[in-house]
Amino acid sequence: MKKAYKITGGTAVNGEVQCLGAKNFATKAMIAALLSNKSTVLSNVPNIGDVQITAEMLESTGVEIEFNHSTSVMRIHPQSIHTYRVSLPHSGSNRVPILMIGALLNKFGRAEVPLLGGCNIGNRKIDFHYQALQLFGAEVSETEDAIVATCNSRLKGTHIELNYPSVGATETCLFLSVLAAGTTVISNAAVEPEIGELITMLRSMGAIIFTTPERKIVIDGVKQLHGTQIEILGDRIDAASWAALACASNGNIVVRGIRPETLNNFLSYYRQVGGGFEFVAPNAIRFFRETELKSTVIETDVYPGFSTDWQQPFAILLTQAQGVSVIHETVYEKRFGYLDALTQLGAHTQLTTHCLGSTQCRYKSMDYHHSAIITGGTKLTSNNCVIDVPDLRAGLAYVIAAAIANGTTIITGIQNIERGYGSVPQRTKNTNLNIETIDFE
Ligand code: EPU
């Protein structure tokens, strides 16, 4: 019997939600801990599937992990690591195995990590990671089920210009460079807040890293790093999702545990379409609808642009805005698959292969449906519609759609949601959202 969410919607959602620690920093911080031979303490670690998967991978090499779910504190002891071979966790895979290669090469001169999983939202190539490994002096190959990297001596600092400011490739370069001999320069690096936080953490472990205004990161390699302690920052994607729920349902939600500056331009887009917000305490924001919702044009981009991970909850908000809105997805080529199921609830959406934003993106003239036209405001309704979650962010978008739709919706495939958000019924228990987990054939 599978689990599903049953949501009866159509009423304004009011209450409070505690933001999780950022998934896309927590998992990287766990790997950064591996770069030292001393223990590291992480606080505000989210108890979600992706953290579990990452913990299982670290443990498969002998690393000891103590995770106290009630305090959200995780202690990582890399002293007991004894193998360069990372086993595939029982609970699935994610995007992080490749990021373990830097630390393993440094300790063993060899790394074997499982092939990558994660959401199916595009080709998600890893050519930049391979290019970086080679430039640092490692050899890399693939077997049927693993990526294998080797190096005969200490990695050597290098100059690398990324073709695109990839978050993961920037992290790979950071992990390879901090213990490499000499200086590394990463040009066209990603500058997402989680990267900034990772740099802060590495600095606290003894790394020497300089950032510049033009997406360049300069690293002077050191011989060893020590343990540290750091609090995982609040998840800006999680926070934006609850903000979208508040506004789309014409409700009022206080989100706690989010640094407002990490939401950056989201707050302005939110205001522009008719959302309102106020700071009610340090790191606590109340989100609501301020005016009638207006249609808009959104283009996803790397930071500080509109995050591709905000796109899905925002699309649901736009179904409620009067007129025609456009979203041009420029980061991933296949991130609109989730819109189709929303027609069951009455949403009017259409996809095109054209670049409908102000810029021509990398997917110009390719056969990818990467621009969406959303015609609103449509009252969504659901008569026990069953919608299956295709990927993590789409999953929470479905929760928002079900919450604003009159009637009852069943959402299946919720493991895809809980991998990044934990249990939504638990998380929303201090709101009036009518959601429960049920057994579903
Ligand atoms: N890319 C390449 N070659 C590479 C690496 C990336 O062509 O070697 C392309 C990808 O195909 C994609 C684009 O560059 O089109 C951006 O990919 P990036 O490497 O930046 O993404 P990622 O590191 O795999 C992280 C987050 C994603 C988030 C992106 C963009 C994690 C675990 N994942 O992925 O989060 O969308 O950065 O900000 O940090 C999510 O949380 O739901 C999620 C998908």
Side-chain angles (χ1 to χ4, degrees):
M1 192 82 80
K2 294 213 166 113
K3 299 280 179 203
Y5 289 157
K6 179 177 171 197
I7 298 175
T8 303
T11 44
V13 181
N14 301 315
E16 277 197 23
V17 178
Q18 180 66 36
C19 197
L20 291 177
K23 162 179 97 69
N24 291 345
F25 175 55
T27 46
K28 322 301 171 63
M30 291 168 72
I31 290 172
L34 202 59
L35 290 162
S36 125
N37 292 322
K38 296 271 161 35
S39 303
T40 280
V41 182
L42 306 176
S43 52
N44 198 30
V45 178
N47 184 13
I48 55 174
D50 253 16
V51 164
Q52 175 64 29
I53 291 172
T54 309
E56 279 181 43
M57 283 191 288
L58 291 177
E59 283 167 342
S60 76
T61 64
V63 174
E64 238 178 78
I65 297 185
E66 302 166 69
F67 187 14
N68 183 330
H69 293 173
S70 54
T71 59
S72 304
V73 171
M74 178 181 280
R75 291 172 198 281
I76 303 174
H77 310 290
Q79 297 88 331
S80 46
I81 188 166
H82 55 72
T83 175
Y84 53 75
R85 192 171 288 138
V86 180
S87 309
L88 183 66
H90 300 302
S91 41
S93 186
N94 58 13
R95 304 299 298 167
V96 303
I98 200 165
L99 303 179
M100 294 177 72
I101 291 180
L104 295 171
L105 280 182
N106 193 268
K107 285 186 201 287
F108 300 105
R110 186 176 175 94
E112 290 185 23
V113 303
L115 295 175
L116 308 196
C119 294
N120 180 15
I121 49 183
N123 290 325
R124 306 197 79 174
K125 289 194 284 191
I126 47 175
D127 49 334
F128 307 158
H129 298 253
Y130 285 178
Q131 181 198 5
L133 280 162
Q134 283 157 356
L135 285 171
F136 278 91
E139 280 184 23
V140 59
S141 59
E142 280 181 16
T143 64
E144 214 171 87
D145 50 11
I147 302 167
V148 180
T150 52
C151 63
N152 296 326
S153 54
R154 189 176 171 198
L155 296 167
K156 288 189 189 56
T158 186
H159 285 218
I160 177 164
E161 169 144 14
L162 298 176
N163 256 337
Y164 184 80
S166 149
V167 169
T170 303
E171 290 160 345
T172 280
C173 291
L174 282 169
F175 290 138
L176 290 167
S177 63
V178 281
L179 290 166
T183 300
T184 295
V185 180
I186 315 169
S187 300
N188 201 24
V191 294
E192 268 64 10
E194 296 78 20
I195 298 267
E197 212 66 5
L198 181 61
I199 290 174
T200 301
M201 175 177 176
L202 292 169
R203 282 177 177 144
S204 78
M205 296 171 74
I208 300 176
I209 305 175
F210 302 93
T211 54
T212 73
E214 64 277 356
R215 289 190 175 275
K216 204 177 262 189
I217 305 176
V218 181
I219 304 105
D220 275 342
V222 296
K223 287 225 164 104
Q224 60 180 22
L225 296 176
H226 49 77
T228 189
Q229 39 187 315
I230 189 164
E231 178 177 305
I232 307 298
L233 80 169
D235 193 313
R236 64 198 167 97
I237 316 301
D238 192 53
S241 308
W242 306 119
L245 171 62
C247 188
S249 72
N250 203 2
N252 184 323
I253 299 179
V254 174
V255 179
R256 297 193 182 275
I258 182 68
R259 291 189 211 158
E261 72 276 12
T262 61
L263 287 169
N264 202 311
N265 289 320
F266 175 84
L267 296 175
S268 297
Y269 284 104
Y270 193 71
R271 185 83 86 190
Q272 208 173 41
V273 298
F277 60 90
E278 60 179 8
F279 298 166
V280 291
N283 293 347
I285 311 177
R286 188 168 76 87
F287 292 99
F288 50 92
R289 186 185 295 186
E290 190 156 63
T291 62
E292 197 178 320
L293 297 184
K294 299 174 275 292
S295 57
T296 191
V297 177
I298 301 263
E299 198 153 35
T300 68
D301 209 339
V302 296
Y303 195 83
F306 191 94
S307 166
T308 170
D309 302 316
W310 290 331
Q311 184 253 97
Q312 306 76 357
F314 217 81
I316 307 301
L317 182 53
L318 293 178
T319 65
Q320 302 307 295
Q322 207 61 46
V324 178
S325 293
V326 167
I327 305 181
H328 181 203
E329 170 61 60
T330 74
V331 180
Y332 293 109
E333 63 274 38
K334 287 194 240 163
R335 220 175 181 182
F336 280 124
Y338 72 98
L339 283 179
D340 209 24
L342 294 175
T343 47
Q344 284 186 66
L345 272 56
H348 298 296
T349 68
Q350 199 185 328
L351 296 182
T352 165
T353 56
H354 293 280
C355 295
L356 289 189
S358 57
T359 52
Q360 303 268 291
C361 76
R362 294 177 294 154
Y363 306 122
K364 166 176 84 103
S365 320
M366 292 185 175
D367 205 18
Y368 297 119
H369 287 93
H370 69 293
S371 291
I373 303 161
I374 298 171
T375 309
T378 317
K379 188 69 214 147
L380 303 185
T381 51
S382 174
N383 187 8
N384 290 312
C385 290
V386 179
I387 48 180
D388 189 51
V389 172
D391 65 77
L392 168 64
R393 304 298 170 195
L396 205 78
Y398 284 0
V399 169
I400 299 171
I404 61 177
N406 274 327
T408 297
T409 308
I410 308 292
I411 300 178
T412 57
I414 60 171
Q415 69 284 356
N416 284 321
I417 302 181
E418 298 194 344
R419 186 168 71 75
Y421 292 95
S423 156
V424 178
Q426 277 287 328
R427 304 267 327 275
T428 53
K429 64 180 190 306
N430 293 329
T431 73
N432 60 334
L433 177 64
N434 190 343
I435 178 171
E436 58 177 321
T437 304
I438 57 166
D439 290 326
F440 192 75
E441 288 280 350

